[in-house]
């Protein structure tokens, strides 16, 4: 693959630190640029005038580049230092673009087509985790973390397939240098992304264990290693075994060199050396700290010098050529390295004071404090232990909890201390005693040491200084000089003490315990993963460390100085953790990885199909398909039956016409009777007569059926009760001597004051008067029946039982339980009913009036309504307004539908017998459906 060497970035303020600029993938040897004005600007300066943003996103254009959140991927190659070469990889660039632009499905497709799939998945996990830290939205951050876990699982899945097939090849994939991802390795990417699940994989841990034991076999017991460390002539025997047959069969210097170069041996030698250093340091501080340094103390100085040289070697060790600044940032990012530098600098300060006779004691104090830091450094050795390693992580996290807890505790300590000091002591001028009274005594009170004189019981002038002149005694509290008794309010100080102990000992300390418990449980759940993840750092440290322990390590440092400074031999990284393969070998390895990636993807698809949820979804899809097929078959069968019936009807008609011709011919020949031959009616006319007959029958049924709602016992919106009227007494022609209906007329502003001149044409209702209607006699209303054909997603008209399905426009009033047609009474001089005006915008009223004028009348007559009385009733005219196609007029109607009252509802309802309407409105809809031959 050809590489391109980019020029250096000319921007002075361009940051080159990945953790601060996580927009792109980090690498272990190169720094990644931030968004400086010249490199990562968002002004599209590379685009020609008039170029749209979509054109900039077109990766196929030669004159444009892919933008990532306003960032040009092409500028990726323009901000590296001169010595870095970075290969162009469009698949990688598109993958980064898709991840940052949150194109999840596209990123999955690109990853499936990528060649270096394990490194790509780990890189995506790193990018998403870093972006989630900068995301302010919690939901988006959680989605990014979830997606990062998915990519980590994909990396684990592919690596598992590789490890099952060939362990050695899989371990080569871990340490193979990936040029496409910044000369880093899969293992390094997983460590930087903190992918603990990947690092804790059995294959990765087996590789780390092999590195830890070096050339030794991993089944060697530690007791054998210790014996050979103390008595190295035992290496000539078969007490310890080696992996290579050459070393197993050899004897002498080769076995000794392989044994002492093993990281496990180097670690234990350094542990013994460091323990000896601490013991000698403690002996000098407690027993042999003379005005002139003794030989033991000089040995400590030599020992510390060797430790400082080793820290300097770790700081300057740069096998990848990253530069001193990058290596310094990586070095000081480790907590234990910071602790080492602190201990060394503090020792130098103590040694400086110790060599001055006037500051001898101060030097001993500083060295004593430094001894504590050196002992704390001993905990780093315990990280290799599976039991103690996670506990150290727990301690580090608990220290953060304590740091935030001290802010809460300081509020109570200072508030109580100042109040107590001001109440008890008057004008204390000594700063040290003020600190003791305010902070020190208040802090000790938490642990049960109650301050003196707080309740006046132990008051004694012998224990205090009245004027505060004795530097070894506290100043006496407020007291009576004649009676020698305290005069401060004891009840107040005791109350403050009780409240202080209540909040600190019970509330705050239990809060701290709860925080510790939460931290412990959080780490304890992932103990194994944490231990496996953190042991890599220790293995990597001792894998590249000189075999000799301090202070003998100075010989190794001298040897390295000669090689680097004198002979100019560059540093090389051990191939056990980072290996650059040949092109042919790398191509074969990546092809093998891609083959197993396809196997992993196929297994994932199979597992997805075997999931119960997926099975239910597949079964549901199959059932829907079968139902559709059966419905289509039934429709085809019904259509075939209709065609056959139509053909039979046509044949019968032809037969009838033939018989008519025969009869007429015979009659013309003088063979017929004197009666006229029956005339055959046309087929279409007979069908039309049948429809008209059915319509007249339905109209007669609606007009002659006794009204039911108009005889409801309770009149709506009033306390009036109707006079009960049985069905046989409804007609006025029927005598009903005891009929004595109550009179009720609601008070309305628009009600007419005309006396009743007619009676209800349907008969008695059990109530006289106008009721809640506007006038006596017929109250005319208009019921628009607005319909359209129901269509599926493809725009085709839906059918049921071969008939087309209608949809009708309905409204629902706030206090009503039923839906209704958008009709009602009309205002004087207006054509549109009031209810229709409430759901239509005013600018559409004239257009709808034209639609009503062009509509078809489907019903006109009496309406069985709850508001009807003997003297007032409702008569309506139902006009059908039908939209046969998806015209602009229908779209305008839908766009102008709205409700003035938010409690009012509007919807298009499918027309069938189960529609939730009143009986009268159902009858009107049935007539409208019959008018258009629709399903009902």
């Amino acid at each position: 693959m050809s590489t391109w060497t980019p020029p250096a970035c000319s921007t002075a303020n361009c940051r080159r630190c990945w953790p601060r600029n996580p927009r792109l993938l980090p690498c272990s040897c190169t720094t990644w640029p931030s968004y400086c004005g010249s490199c990562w600007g968002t002004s599209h300066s590379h685009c020609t005038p008039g170029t749209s943003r979509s054109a900039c996103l077109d990766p196929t254009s030669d004159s444009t580049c892919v933008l990532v959140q306003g960032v040009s991927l092409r500028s990726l190659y323009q901000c590296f230092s001169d010595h870095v070469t970075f290969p162009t990889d469009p698949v990688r660039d598109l993958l980064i673009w898709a991840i940052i632009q949150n194109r999840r499905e596209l990123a999955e497709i690109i990853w499936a087509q990528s060649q270096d799939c394990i490194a790509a998945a780990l890189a995506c996990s790193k990018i998403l985790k870093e972006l989630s830290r900068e995301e302010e939205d919690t939901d988006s951050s959680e989605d990014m973390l979830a997606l990062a876990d998915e990519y980590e699982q994909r990396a684990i899945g592919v690596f598992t397939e590789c490890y099952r097939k060939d362990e050695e090849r899989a371990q080569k994939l871990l340490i193979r240098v990936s040029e496409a991802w910044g000369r880093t390795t899969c293992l390094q990417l997983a460590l930087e992304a903190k992918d603990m699940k990947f690092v804790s994989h059995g294959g990765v841990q087996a590789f780390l264990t092999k590195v830890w034991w070096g050339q030794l076999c991993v089944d060697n017991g530690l007791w054998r290693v210790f014996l050979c460390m103390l008595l190295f002539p035992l290496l000539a025997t078969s007490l310890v075994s080696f992996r290579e047959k050459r070393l197993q069969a050899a004897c002498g210097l080769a076995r000794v060199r392989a044994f002492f170069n093993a990281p496990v041996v180097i670690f234990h030698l350094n542990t013994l050396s460091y323990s000896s250093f601490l013991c000698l340091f403690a002996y000098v501080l407690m027993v042999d700290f003379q005005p002139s340094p003794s030989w033991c103390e000089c040995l400590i100085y030599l020992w510390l010098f060797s430790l400082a040289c080793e820290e300097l070697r770790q700081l300057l060790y740069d096998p990848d050529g990253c530069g001193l600044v990058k290596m310094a940032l990586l070095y000081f990012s480790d907590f234990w390295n910071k602790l080492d530098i602190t201990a060394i600098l503090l020792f130098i300060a103590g040694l400086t004071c110790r060599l001055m006779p006037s500051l001898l004691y101060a030097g001993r104090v500083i060295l004593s404090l430094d001894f504590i830091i050196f002992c704390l450094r001993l905990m780093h050795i315990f990280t290799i232990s599976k039991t103690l390693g996670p506990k150290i992580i727990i301690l580090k996290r608990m220290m953060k909890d304590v740091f935030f807890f001290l802010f809460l505790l300081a509020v109570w300590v200072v508030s109580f201390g100042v109040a107590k000091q001001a109440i008890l002591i008057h004008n204390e001028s000594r700063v040290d005693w003020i600190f003791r009274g305010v902070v020190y005594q208040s802090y000790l009170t938490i642990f049960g040491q109650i301050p003196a004189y707080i309740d006046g019981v132990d008051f004694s002038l012998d224990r205090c200084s009245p004027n505060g002149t004795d530097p070894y005694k506290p100043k006496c509290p407020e007291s009576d000089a004649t009676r020698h008794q305290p005069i401060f309010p004891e009840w107040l100080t005791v109350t403050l003490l009780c409240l202080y102990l209540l909040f600190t000992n019970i509330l705050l300390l239990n809060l701290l315990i709860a925080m510790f418990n939460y931290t412990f449980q959080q780490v304890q759940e992932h103990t194994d993963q944490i231990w496996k993840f953190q042991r890599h750092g220790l293995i990597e440290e001792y894998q590249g460390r000189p075999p000799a322990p301090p202070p003998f390590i100075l010989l190794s440092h001298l040897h390295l100085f000669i090689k680097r400074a004198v002979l100019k031999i560059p540093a090389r990284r051990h191939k056990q953790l980072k290996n650059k393969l040949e092109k042919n070998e790398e191509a074969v390895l990546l092809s093998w990885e891609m083959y197993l990636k396809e196997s992993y993807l196929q297994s994932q698809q199979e597992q997805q199909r075997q999931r119960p949820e997926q099975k239910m979804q597949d079964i549901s899809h199959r059932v829907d398909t079968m139902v559709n097929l059966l419905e289509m078959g039934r429709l085809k069968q019904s259509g075939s039956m209709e065609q056959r019936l139509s053909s039979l009807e046509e044949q019968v008609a032809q037969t009838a016409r033939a018989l008519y011709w025969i009869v007429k011919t015979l009659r013309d020949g003088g063979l017929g009777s004197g009666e006229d031959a029956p005339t055959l009616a046309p087929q279409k006319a007979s069908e039309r007569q049948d429809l008209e007959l059915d319509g007249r029958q339905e109209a007669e049924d609606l007009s002659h059926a006794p009204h039911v709602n108009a005889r409801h016992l309770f009149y709506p919106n009033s306390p009036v009760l109707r006079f009960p009227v049985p069905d046989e007494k409804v007609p006025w022609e029927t005598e009903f001597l005891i009929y004595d209906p109550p009179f009720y007329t609601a008070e309305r502003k628009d009600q007419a004051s005309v006396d009743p001149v007619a009676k209800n044409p349907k008969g008695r209702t059990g109530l006289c008067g106008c009721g809640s209607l506007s006038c006596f006699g017929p109250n005319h209303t208009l019921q628009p029946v607005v319909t359209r054909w129901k269509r599926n997603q493809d725009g085709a008209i839906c059918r049921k039982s071969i008939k087309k399905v209608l949809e009708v426009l309905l409204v629902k009033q706030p206090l009503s339980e039923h839906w209704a047609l958008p009709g009602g009474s009309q205002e004087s001089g207006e054509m549109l009913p009031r209810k229709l005006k409430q759901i239509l915008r005013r600018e559409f009223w004239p257009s709808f009036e034209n639609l009503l004028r062009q509509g078809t009348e489907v019903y006109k007559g009496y309406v069985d309504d709850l508001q009807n009385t003997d003297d007032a009733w409702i008569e309506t005219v139902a006009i059908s307004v039908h939209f046969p196609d998806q015209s602009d007029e229908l779209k305008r109607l839908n766009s102008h539908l709205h409700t003035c009252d938010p409690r009012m509802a509007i919807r298009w309802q499918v027309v069938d017998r189960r529609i939730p309407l009143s009986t009268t409105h159902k009858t009107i809809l049935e007539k409208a459906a019959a008018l258009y031959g629709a399903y009902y």
Side-chain angles (χ1 to χ4, degrees):
M1 182 181 294
S2 62
T3 58
W4 177 76
T5 304
C9 176
S10 59
T11 304
N13 298 325
C14 186
R15 296 177 295 174
R16 297 179 179 273
C17 175
W18 158 253
R20 298 170 62 188
N21 299 281
R23 298 300 177 93
L24 291 173
L25 180 70
C27 65
S28 59
C29 63
T30 59
T31 57
W32 291 72
S34 66
Y35 308 132
C36 62
S38 61
C39 301
W40 299 79
T42 60
S43 60
H44 301 265
S45 58
H46 57 280
C47 300
T48 58
T51 303
S52 62
R53 183 175 177 84
S54 60
C56 296
L57 295 175
D58 184 9
T60 61
S61 177
D62 296 333
S63 61
T64 60
C65 61
V66 179
L67 296 179
V68 180
Q69 289 185 350
V71 177
S72 170
L73 284 179
R74 184 172 296 173
S75 61
L76 169 68
Y77 312 111
Q78 299 176 0
C79 288
F80 291 101
S81 54
D82 294 331
H83 62 279
V84 177
T85 58
F86 199 87
T88 57
D89 189 350
V91 177
R92 177 205 59 206
D93 296 344
L94 286 175
L95 180 59
I96 296 175
W97 175 81
I99 286 294
I100 298 180
Q101 289 291 337
N102 198 20
R103 305 292 181 88
R104 184 169 181 172
E105 297 180 356
L106 179 61
E108 292 178 1
I109 296 173
I110 297 174
W111 177 82
Q113 300 300 322
S114 62
Q115 190 175 23
D116 197 357
C117 55
I118 297 180
L122 295 172
C124 292
S125 175
K126 170 64 176 176
I127 295 173
L128 289 167
K129 287 183 179 180
E130 292 294 340
L131 289 177
S132 66
R133 297 179 184 177
E134 295 188 352
E135 183 62 44
E136 297 179 357
D137 187 12
T138 305
D139 295 336
S140 300
S141 178
E142 291 178 356
D143 292 341
M144 290 180 182
L145 291 176
L147 187 57
D149 292 338
E150 290 184 13
Y151 278 101
E152 182 183 0
Q153 290 296 334
R154 292 175 188 174
I156 294 173
V158 177
F159 181 75
T160 301
E161 293 289 334
C162 297
Y163 191 73
R164 288 174 181 173
K165 294 294 182 181
D166 193 335
E167 295 183 4
E168 292 186 2
R169 277 188 170 185
Q171 292 176 356
K172 279 186 179 180
L173 285 174
L174 286 177
I175 59 175
R176 180 191 65 86
V177 175
S178 177
E179 294 289 343
W181 294 102
R183 293 182 180 177
T184 186
T185 63
C186 294
L187 183 59
Q188 190 64 28
L189 281 173
L191 292 170
E192 291 182 358
K194 291 184 173 57
D195 291 334
M196 294 187 180
K197 295 179 183 178
F198 183 86
V199 178
S200 61
H201 188 275
V204 180
Q205 292 300 310
F207 168 74
L208 292 178
T209 302
K210 185 171 69 173
V211 174
W212 178 245
W213 284 90
Q215 299 294 332
L216 299 175
C217 292
V218 296
D219 55 353
N220 286 318
L222 285 178
W223 64 273
R224 297 181 181 181
V225 175
F226 278 113
L227 281 178
C228 293
M229 285 168 51
L230 299 177
L231 303 172
F232 62 90
L234 293 176
L235 292 173
T237 65
S238 59
L239 184 63
V240 292
S241 57
F242 296 85
R243 288 203 308 268
E244 296 183 3
K245 295 181 179 180
R246 176 181 58 84
L247 294 174
Q248 190 68 25
C251 59
L253 185 60
R255 292 171 63 92
V256 173
R257 184 174 182 180
F259 176 81
F260 283 101
N261 279 325
V264 61
V265 177
I266 298 174
F267 169 77
H268 288 99
L269 285 175
N270 280 270
T271 301
L272 293 176
S273 172
Y274 196 77
S275 301
S276 302
F277 168 73
L278 291 179
C279 293
L280 184 61
F281 197 2
Y283 171 78
V284 170
L285 288 176
M286 294 186 298
V287 178
D288 194 18
F289 197 82
Q290 305 296 332
S292 298
S294 61
W295 69 271
C296 293
E297 192 171 351
C298 293
L299 181 59
I300 291 178
Y301 299 159
L302 180 64
W303 216 314
L304 186 76
F305 178 72
S306 65
L307 293 176
C309 291
E310 174 58 22
E311 295 300 323
L312 183 62
R313 184 198 67 82
Q314 294 180 17
L315 177 62
L316 300 178
Y317 180 63
D318 186 14
D320 299 316
C322 298
L324 181 60
V325 177
K326 177 68 175 180
M327 294 307 301
L329 291 174
L330 292 175
Y331 177 82
F332 286 104
S333 63
D334 188 9
F335 170 77
W336 301 110
N337 289 334
K338 297 176 184 177
L339 200 65
D340 289 336
I341 296 300
T342 303
I344 292 173
L345 293 178
L346 195 61
F347 188 91
I348 294 174
L351 177 61
T352 304
C353 296
R354 185 254 182 280
L355 296 178
M356 299 179 183
S358 59
L359 299 176
L360 179 64
Y361 180 72
R364 192 177 70 180
V365 172
I366 295 175
L367 292 176
S368 301
L369 297 177
D370 191 37
F371 179 79
I372 299 176
I373 299 179
F374 277 113
C375 289
L376 292 177
R377 182 62 177 81
L378 192 64
M379 289 192 300
H380 180 49
I381 300 174
F382 300 147
T383 55
I384 199 63
S385 173
K386 188 175 182 179
T387 304
L388 297 178
K391 302 302 184 292
I392 297 175
I393 300 296
I394 294 175
L395 287 176
K396 291 173 65 176
R397 296 191 179 182
M398 284 184 176
M399 289 299 295
K400 297 180 180 179
D401 295 339
V402 171
F403 178 76
F404 291 108
F405 172 78
L406 289 178
F407 285 100
L408 299 176
L409 184 62
V411 174
W412 291 96
V413 170
V414 173
S415 60
F416 173 74
V418 171
K420 177 185 70 68
Q421 184 75 7
I423 294 173
L424 294 179
I425 309 299
H426 178 68
N427 293 340
E428 175 64 77
S429 58
R430 294 173 296 178
V431 179
D432 54 340
W433 283 101
I434 292 177
F435 178 79
R436 290 184 182 182
V438 173
V439 179
Y440 181 64
Q441 292 182 359
S442 300
Y443 179 74
L444 293 181
T445 303
I446 301 176
F447 304 99
Q449 185 174 344
I450 306 300
Y453 318 128
I454 194 70
D455 53 359
V457 176
D458 298 331
F459 177 75
S460 176
L461 292 176
D462 297 334
R463 300 180 181 179
C464 60
S465 174
N467 298 323
T469 56
D470 192 347
Y472 300 104
K473 291 182 180 181
K475 189 176 181 180
C476 293
E478 295 286 346
S479 59
D480 190 352
T482 58
R483 294 184 296 174
H484 302 289
Q485 293 181 355
I487 60 173
F488 59 85
E490 300 175 6
W491 62 271
L492 180 58
T493 55
V494 172
T495 303
L496 291 176
L497 178 64
C498 294
L499 292 175
Y500 174 70
L501 293 177
L502 174 67
F503 281 97
T504 54
N505 281 22
I506 298 178
L507 183 62
L508 292 182
L509 290 182
N510 282 280
L511 174 63
L512 181 62
I513 293 173
M515 293 168 62
F516 286 166
N517 185 40
Y518 174 76
T519 302
F520 179 81
Q521 291 180 355
Q522 195 176 22
V523 178
Q524 193 70 18
E525 293 176 356
H526 308 89
T527 299
D528 187 64
Q529 291 184 4
I530 293 174
W531 172 74
K532 290 179 179 178
F533 183 81
Q534 69 182 7
R535 73 190 287 252
H536 171 270
L538 196 67
I539 293 175
E540 184 179 15
E541 177 183 351
Y542 284 94
Q543 190 268 341
R545 196 172 184 135
F552 306 104
I553 199 173
L554 289 174
L555 300 177
S556 299
H557 293 159
L558 180 61
H559 177 254
L560 288 175
F561 179 77
I562 295 174
K563 288 176 61 177
R564 303 291 180 265
V566 180
L567 301 179
K568 304 295 182 180
I569 300 177
R572 295 181 180 179
R573 179 177 290 274
H574 203 284
K575 290 186 177 181
Q576 282 187 303
L577 291 178
K578 197 169 185 179
N579 189 16
K580 181 69 172 68
L581 301 178
E582 297 293 335
K583 290 186 177 181
N584 294 334
E585 183 181 3
E586 184 178 16
V588 172
L589 188 63
L590 291 180
S591 300
W592 177 70
E593 181 190 17
M594 287 190 65
Y595 170 75
L596 294 179
K597 177 193 65 178
E598 296 297 331
S599 176
Y600 164 74
L601 292 177
Q602 292 179 0
S603 64
Q604 287 295 109
Q605 294 177 358
E606 184 65 26
Q607 291 179 5
Q608 182 71 16
R609 286 194 293 265
Q610 296 299 326
R611 292 177 58 189
E613 297 84 357
Q614 187 65 30
K615 287 185 177 180
M616 293 178 62
Q617 187 176 356
D618 294 341
I619 292 173
S620 176
H621 178 69
R622 292 175 182 176
V623 169
D624 293 340
T625 304
M626 291 299 298
V627 169
N628 293 333
L629 292 176
L630 291 175
E631 186 70 19
M632 292 177 62
R634 187 176 65 83
L635 292 176
K636 291 180 180 179
Q637 186 177 4
S638 300
S640 177
M641 185 65 68
E642 290 287 340
Q643 292 177 358
R644 294 174 64 185
L645 290 176
S646 177
S647 177
L648 180 61
E649 184 178 0
E650 185 177 357
Q651 293 177 6
V652 170
Q654 291 177 358
T655 304
R657 286 194 295 271
L659 291 175
Y660 177 77
W661 178 79
I662 294 173
V663 171
K664 185 177 180 182
T665 303
L666 290 175
R667 185 175 179 279
D668 293 341
L671 298 177
S673 60
E675 299 179 356
D676 294 334
T679 303
L680 295 177
Q683 182 180 358
K684 299 296 181 181
S686 63
E687 291 179 356
R688 187 162 54 249
Q689 290 174 0
D690 293 339
L691 290 175
E692 293 177 356
L693 179 61
D694 293 339
R696 284 197 301 269
Q697 289 178 352
E698 292 175 356
E700 291 176 358
D701 292 341
L702 182 62
S703 60
H704 293 291
H707 50 201
V708 177
N709 294 332
R711 292 181 290 141
H712 197 276
L713 184 61
F714 299 96
Y715 193 81
N717 301 324
S718 72
V720 180
L721 297 179
R722 296 179 187 266
F723 189 91
V725 180
D727 291 344
E728 63 274 9
K729 298 296 183 179
V730 171
W732 294 108
E733 295 80 9
T734 305
E735 186 178 6
F736 195 13
L737 299 178
I738 64 172
Y739 183 62
D740 186 15
F743 183 88
Y744 172 71
T745 299
E747 295 182 0
R748 294 169 54 99
K749 294 182 179 181
D750 56 348
Q751 187 170 359
S753 60
V754 181
D755 294 333
V757 294
K759 293 296 184 180
N760 193 314
K762 294 291 288 185
R764 299 180 179 93
T765 62
L767 184 66
C768 294
C770 192
S772 59
L773 298 177
S774 59
C775 63
F776 290 99
N779 290 257
H780 297 284
T781 62
L782 177 65
Q783 295 293 344
V785 185
V786 185
T787 57
R788 68 181 184 184
W789 296 119
K790 181 183 179 183
R791 301 178 184 271
N792 55 22
Q793 295 180 353
D794 299 332
I797 300 176
C798 298
R799 293 178 179 270
K800 196 169 185 180
S801 300
I802 313 178
K803 294 185 178 181
K804 300 178 181 179
V805 180
L806 277 177
E807 286 184 336
V808 62
L809 182 65
L810 300 179
V811 297
K812 186 177 182 181
Q813 297 291 342
L815 301 179
S816 176
E817 298 180 357
H818 298 283
W819 291 83
L821 296 174
S825 60
Q826 300 165 293
E827 297 179 358
S828 177
E830 297 288 341
M831 185 177 181
L832 299 182
R834 296 177 181 177
K835 192 181 299 184
L836 185 61
K837 290 182 178 180
Q838 294 177 358
I839 66 171
L840 280 180
R841 301 183 186 274
R842 181 177 295 272
E843 56 267 20
F844 194 69
W845 289 1
S847 300
F848 200 85
E849 290 178 358
N850 295 330
L851 293 175
L852 286 176
R853 294 189 185 98
Q854 299 171 7
T856 304
E857 182 180 303
V858 294
Y859 176 76
K860 182 178 182 180
Y862 180 84
V863 176
D864 184 13
D865 194 88
L866 292 172
Q867 303 178 77
N868 292 351
T869 65
D870 292 350
D871 304 321
W873 61 93
I874 297 177
E875 293 183 1
T876 188
V877 176
I879 299 178
S880 174
V881 178
H882 181 63
F883 296 93
D885 52 11
Q886 294 177 334
S887 60
D888 295 338
E889 199 68 27
L890 177 59
K891 295 179 181 178
R892 287 187 60 209
L893 172 63
N894 290 327
S895 63
H896 285 84
L897 288 176
H898 84 293
T899 56
C900 299
D901 190 349
R903 297 175 298 173
M904 181 181 290
I906 313 173
R907 74 176 180 185
W908 288 93
Q909 175 69 37
V910 176
V911 177
D912 59 9
R913 295 185 181 276
R914 296 173 296 176
I915 192 168
L917 293 177
S918 63
T919 305
T920 305
H921 288 188
K922 279 187 175 182
T923 305
I924 294 174
L925 277 182
E926 187 176 0
K927 290 180 178 295
L931 177 65
Y932 302 109
Y935 171 79
Y936 184 79

